Amino acid sequence: MSNTPYPDKPRPMPVGKRAIPAFFGNLWRMSVVYFAWPLTIAIVWLHDHLGVPKWLGSDLREFLVRLWGLFWLTFVWVLLWGSITWGNVVMGVVVGIVVMAVLPLPRVPVEGRIHPIAALHLALNLIWNFFISSAQVAWAAIRPGPPPLGCVVRVHVAIKSDLVLTLAVDYLNLVPGTMVVEIDHVHRMLYVHVFDVRTQRQVDAFRKQMAYVERQFIKAFERDSEWHPSPFHGIDDDYHHVAYSERQRVAEADPTTPNREERWKP
């Protein structure tokens, strides 16, 4: 006979998380406290106190962007040669430096804010459209009857950033059956060649799909509540050749610039 007063009553579960969730929760907290936060403080301190030469960008962020570009060019050079050797790596670095010095690309303003979940949904939608469009193009190639009839459709998009607009164009070019043939970035007009369009209903279906893609890009990268135009937005000249007075003019015209009213005081 058991000595407990209620032998058939189950024992209460201990209050708190189980072992595995508690372990990962503590690991996350420790990584933030002992790694992410000190790393953030160190980056901010370096940005405020470290002087970067003008030929390296005059700014730590600009220097890191150029360093990433040099790494990518070196990686492409080694990839083209097909073997990882010290000679290929060194030559890739030299070629990358020459390309960045002789053929500098214009600065692309990074505006808005990325939302990982919405961006992941956009990527999954791209994969789904890729398979569906591939099947449609394959069927149009083997089905009996007249050859497919294509057309160019003009589409207006409400995407503000040139960088996000470039991503949207790449999205359309990756999907089989659509190809952007012309871009009017001033009026935000895209001229898209659509494969096998015979009726107005198919054109309307394509416009509906474009509207959905446009909403997904805005939701993933540039929501209106978080949109802050870059001071360099709207300047098409090369960043390295834009005068300081011109950058100041754009900064003063930006309504998000702090102390904008004080700039106009006599």
Side-chain angles (χ1 to χ4, degrees), residues 112-182:
R113 177 184 175 186
I114 183 173
H115 292 264
I117 297 179
L120 178 61
H121 184 268
L122 185 64
L124 294 177
N125 186 68
L126 170 63
I127 297 174
W128 172 254
N129 287 335
F130 181 84
F131 284 106
I132 297 298
S133 300
S134 298
Q136 292 175 348
V137 172
W139 170 246
I142 63 175
R143 72 182 179 186
L149 179 64
C151 70
V152 176
V153 181
R154 184 179 65 179
V155 182
H156 179 267
V157 294
I159 297 176
K160 308 179 187 68
S161 172
D162 291 339
L163 177 61
V164 179
L165 181 63
T166 303
L167 294 177
V169 170
D170 293 338
Y171 181 102
L172 295 175
N173 291 337
L174 286 175
V175 175
T178 58
M179 177 65 67
V180 179
V181 297
E182 186 177 348

Side-chain angles (χ1 to χ4, degrees), residues 45-251:
W45 186 90
L46 290 174
H47 182 272
D48 295 336
H49 296 84
L50 183 62
V52 180
K54 186 176 181 180
W55 60 275
L56 286 178
S58 303
D59 184 77
L60 180 61
R61 181 180 181 274
E62 184 70 19
F63 169 71
L64 294 177
V65 170
R66 296 189 183 186
L67 188 64
W68 166 252
L70 179 61
F71 169 79
W72 180 253
L73 291 174
T74 305
F75 172 76
V76 173
W77 178 267
V78 175
L79 193 65
L80 290 175
W81 282 98
S83 60
I84 303 177
T85 61
W86 284 111
N88 288 339
V89 173
V90 173
M91 195 61 190
V93 173
V94 173
V95 172
I97 294 175
V98 172
V99 170
M100 296 179 67
V102 178
L103 302 172
L105 293 174
R107 183 186 180 97
V108 179
V110 179
E111 301 160 313
R113 177 184 175 186
I114 183 173
H115 292 264
I117 297 179
L120 178 61
H121 184 268
L122 185 64
L124 294 177
N125 186 68
L126 170 63
I127 297 174
W128 172 254
N129 287 335
F130 181 84
F131 284 106
I132 297 298
S133 300
S134 298
Q136 292 175 348
V137 172
W139 170 246
I142 63 175
R143 72 182 179 186
L149 179 64
C151 70
V152 176
V153 181
R154 184 179 65 179
V155 182
H156 179 267
V157 294
I159 297 176
K160 308 179 187 68
S161 172
D162 291 339
L163 177 61
V164 179
L165 181 63
T166 303
L167 294 177
V169 170
D170 293 338
Y171 181 102
L172 295 175
N173 291 337
L174 286 175
V175 175
T178 58
M179 177 65 67
V180 179
V181 297
E182 186 177 348
I183 305 173
D184 184 356
H185 80 281
V186 176
H187 301 93
R188 287 303 191 259
M189 289 289 186
L190 301 180
Y191 295 84
V192 187
H193 179 271
V194 186
F195 179 78
D196 194 18
V197 176
R198 298 179 180 274
T199 63
Q200 183 64 34
R201 181 180 179 183
Q202 292 174 317
V203 175
D204 295 339
F206 171 73
R207 291 185 181 275
K208 184 178 180 181
Q209 179 67 19
M210 277 295 304
Y212 173 78
V213 172
E214 175 190 6
R215 290 195 304 270
Q216 292 302 316
F217 268 96
I218 294 176
K219 184 178 179 180
F221 298 104
E222 49 179 42
R223 301 182 183 184
D224 292 336
S225 59
E226 300 171 351
W227 174 253
H228 299 288
S230 169
F232 303 99
H233 185 82
I235 295 181
D236 296 328
D237 195 4
D238 190 344
Y239 167 74
H240 303 285
H241 299 157
V242 176
Y244 178 77
S245 59
E246 189 69 10
R247 295 202 296 268
Q248 286 296 105
R249 178 189 66 79
V250 177

